[in-house]
Amino acid sequence: MLDLSVINAMFPPDLPEPDDWERRFPPRALPEGAEVTRFAPSPTGHLHIGGLYTAAVARALAHQSGGVYVLRVEDTDRSRQVAGAAEEFSRLLAAFGLAPDEGGVAGDGEWGPYLQSERRDVYLSQVRELLRRDRAYPCFCDKERLARSAVEQRAGRSPIGYYGRWAPCRTLAPEEAARRLSAGEPYVVRFRCPYEFPGRVRFTDRIRAGVTLQDNGNDIVLLKSSQEELPLPTYHLAHVVDDHLMRVSLVVRGEEWLSSTPVHLQLHAALGFEPPAYAHLAPLMKAEGPSRRKLSKRKDPEASVDYYLAAGYPPAAVQHYLRGLANIRLMDVPTAVALAAPVRLDAMRPSGPLLDLPKLHSLSREFIASLSPDELYGQLLAWAREYDPELGAVLAGQRGLALAALAAGRPEGAPARKDLDRWSCFRDRYGFFFAELFGPPPAPDDDRYGGLAPELVRRIAADFASDFAAGVGRETAVATPDAWYGALRALAGRHGHAPDTASWRRDPGRWAGPPRVVANVVRVALTGATRSPDLFAVARALGPAEVLRRLTAVAG
């Protein structure tokens, strides 16, 4: 073992002892059974929907037990760090109602800082302690040496790693190690694995029950190269130290970390820590033909959390959907019920849940339909201001028209019409109510008029505009649907079409077509679509002046 004076000289002289950190970050005063969970992303790219899923489960488990949910940013891999990513985590979690109780870039909370790059001294204290107890050692092997070892290991079909005869620094004489340190030779600090020939290790996973894996036999790196201006720890050491000192009791993380659990358990034991419980979530899957595959950041736009914000899925509906992926029993209950219900780890499956956007659309549609007009308007406006500024400006300036549009054709007390499953659909479904968004109506030769000759389309539009200007557009004439639809029936008759559907069915040879053909001209002129809310309600919301503007524009 290295002399203590040599070990101490490797670190800042004022570095605290491990016991100092234990006092600085004491156990939390929480009720019995309360879980402390954490979401610990690395700022190396955009937040994946799988990360949001993990955060949703971790937060639910903490809150339903009376515990604490922490956001910790694991930013020790400086080479892969993306500028602004850490700030994005806090923004996105807040946007979906998953803001942490403590942590993040702002660092709110007494167990911080919550960026690992700001906790360097905490890790150095633990590395020094492991060196003092001969549970770690300096390694001077350069990249070329390690690469040669890897080639030999592959050729011999041996596991890749630093162990056995490929770990020369493990058995380096203390005097030789001290000499090389004194000479300023670059080094990393490695963990001295307790097993040269590892066996099997069994541990409990809260989702998979008992898990048996090959134990770790590799002397992993704990502290990166001394050549760095501020050597930082590797993920393996940093997260073990932080989980202990932040008093995390339940680690909820992706299945990709399951195989690393043996080394993490070894580190907990070497540091004298009681390990937390683990729950490894299966990855989100996507259907591809008859098979399934993992959702891919590169191939699937829906893998990015920003996709859901830009598309305008209400955050509560997304939260509901994520809970439903975790516990299928929550998928088909109202959103308020799903968000209030506990998430159960024993109801989660070890196979990956399928990301099914049609199901999310259904949940989102039901949630939007459950909102009061004022709630719907408020959430729509907030989304539009961020993602569709033109629509946002129109909505902000015409609140009354927006509410009238949403209520169009919906009798008082009737169930909400379920034609919105995302806020981004509003422009397409209701944008025609706003002159600024609608623009000129479709030209007479547009296919939406059902193939009618353009000249006939002009005549129908001009005829109805004339009637409307002469009396149909007056308040007394449009006060009832009967007056409006009576005018449409008369219009159909004047242009050789049946005045009603029953007449058309009785004698189709007598007429040029059913009344809906003529009504469709008015519908397309006013809405730009062949399907719309009730035409009388549309006209009432638009107002006489706008109705006439659109009809006369088609009439030419």
Side-chain angles (χ1 to χ4, degrees), residues 30-31 33-37 61-63 65-69 206 249-250 277:
L30 293 171
E35 301 282 16
V36 178
T37 65
L61 294 169
H63 284 189
S65 67
V68 179
Y69 157 64
R206 293 276 296 274
S249 62
L250 173 61

Side-chain angles (χ1 to χ4, degrees), residues 141-282:
C141 294
D142 58 22
K143 291 181 179 179
E144 289 74 19
R145 173 62 184 266
L146 297 175
R148 289 196 302 271
S149 294
V151 169
E152 290 179 17
Q153 289 166 344
R154 289 191 188 95
R157 298 187 177 181
S158 299
I160 303 298
Y162 198 87
Y163 62 93
R165 65 186 179 88
W166 294 288
C169 291
R170 180 184 174 104
T171 55
L172 198 65
E175 297 78 16
E176 175 63 10
R179 183 191 66 76
R180 296 173 75 168
L181 287 169
S182 180
E185 192 170 333
Y187 67 91
V188 298
V189 176
R190 289 186 180 274
F191 177 56
R192 190 182 296 279
C193 177
Y195 310 115
E196 188 172 351
F197 301 103
R200 310 285 284 177
V201 61
R202 183 174 176 81
F203 58 90
T204 299
D205 182 272
R206 293 276 296 274
I207 295 172
R208 291 164 171 75
V211 177
T212 302
L213 294 174
Q214 179 78 24
D215 209 345
N216 172 60
N218 188 17
D219 287 2
I220 64 167
V221 174
L222 300 179
L223 191 65
K224 298 175 185 178
S225 175
S226 60
Q227 285 188 306
E228 295 182 12
E229 184 179 353
L230 291 173
L232 288 170
T234 58
Y235 163 80
H236 295 296
L237 174 74
H239 98 278
V240 164
V241 172
D242 286 343
D243 283 346
H244 170 69
L245 290 177
M246 291 180 181
R247 309 301 172 175
V248 172
S249 62
L250 173 61
V251 171
V252 179
R253 60 185 183 183
E255 182 184 75
E256 65 272 18
W257 293 109
L258 185 63
S259 61
S260 298
T261 306
V263 73
H264 299 160
L265 293 174
Q266 285 184 7
L267 287 172
H268 278 289
L271 291 163
F273 301 159
E274 182 69 26
Y278 289 97
H280 290 91
L281 306 182

Side-chain angles (χ1 to χ4, degrees), residues 350-361:
S351 59
L354 189 67
L355 191 71
D356 177 16
L357 288 184
K359 183 60 181 178
L360 174 57
H361 293 166

Side-chain angles (χ1 to χ4, degrees), residues 354-376:
L354 189 67
L355 191 71
D356 177 16
L357 288 184
K359 183 60 181 178
L360 174 57
H361 293 166
S362 175
L363 291 179
S364 184
R365 187 182 301 113
E366 293 290 337
F367 174 76
I368 291 173
S370 74
L371 298 174
S372 70
D374 285 337
E375 290 171 330
L376 194 157

Side-chain angles (χ1 to χ4, degrees), residues 238-513:
H239 98 278
V240 164
V241 172
D242 286 343
D243 283 346
H244 170 69
L245 290 177
M246 291 180 181
R247 309 301 172 175
V248 172
S249 62
L250 173 61
V251 171
V252 179
R253 60 185 183 183
E255 182 184 75
E256 65 272 18
W257 293 109
L258 185 63
S259 61
S260 298
T261 306
V263 73
H264 299 160
L265 293 174
Q266 285 184 7
L267 287 172
H268 278 289
L271 291 163
F273 301 159
E274 182 69 26
Y278 289 97
H280 290 91
L281 306 182
L284 299 183
M285 308 296 283
K286 180 173 182 174
E288 194 165 67
S291 60
R292 305 168 79 176
R293 62 167 173 81
K294 289 183 182 179
L295 202 62
S296 166
K297 275 187 177 182
R298 288 175 296 160
K299 294 167 61 176
D300 304 315
E302 67 270 30
S304 170
V305 170
D306 279 311
Y307 168 87
Y308 299 87
L309 285 177
Y313 293 98
V318 175
Q319 264 205 69
H320 180 180
Y321 182 64
L322 294 176
R323 281 175 170 245
L325 290 178
N327 286 178
I328 193 67
R329 76 183 196 283
L330 301 179
M331 196 65 90
D332 294 316
V333 300
T335 295
V337 174
L339 297 186
V343 170
R344 290 168 35 201
L345 286 174
D346 62 2
M348 297 185 72
R349 293 168 293 182
S351 59
L354 189 67
L355 191 71
D356 177 16
L357 288 184
K359 183 60 181 178
L360 174 57
H361 293 166
S362 175
L363 291 179
S364 184
R365 187 182 301 113
E366 293 290 337
F367 174 76
I368 291 173
S370 74
L371 298 174
S372 70
D374 285 337
E375 290 171 330
L376 194 157
Y377 172 79
Q379 293 192 29
L380 170 65
L381 178 60
W383 174 84
R385 281 175 164 159
E386 178 73 18
Y387 293 97
D388 189 345
E390 182 188 31
L391 174 61
V394 169
L395 291 172
Q398 300 195 59
R399 182 177 184 276
L401 179 55
L403 291 173
L406 291 164
R410 205 172 304 172
E412 187 71 28
R417 186 171 55 247
K418 298 176 182 178
D419 55 359
L420 282 180
D421 55 27
R422 288 156 287 171
W423 301 130
S424 57
C425 296
F426 180 86
R427 180 189 275 266
D428 179 57
R429 307 275 165 78
Y430 294 95
F432 68 84
F433 280 96
F434 306 91
E436 304 95 321
L437 302 177
F438 184 69
D445 60 353
D446 193 283
D447 288 343
R448 282 169 285 185
Y449 290 110
L452 294 182
E455 187 53 41
L456 178 57
V457 171
R458 291 189 186 94
R459 288 201 306 270
I460 291 172
D463 192 356
F464 197 65
S466 176
D467 275 0
F468 195 87
V472 177
R474 294 179 188 144
E475 186 65 25
T476 54
V478 295
T480 66
D482 287 345
W484 171 266
Y485 288 107
L488 281 178
R489 285 193 294 271
L491 176 69
R494 290 197 299 273
H495 291 275
H497 288 67
D500 54 66
T501 302
S503 298
W504 162 253
R505 287 174 176 167
R506 279 195 304 269
D507 191 3
R510 179 182 173 185
W511 313 100

Side-chain angles (χ1 to χ4, degrees), residues 71 132 135 298 347 389 506:
L71 171 61
R132 288 171 174 172
R135 298 304 305 271
R298 288 175 296 160
R506 279 195 304 269

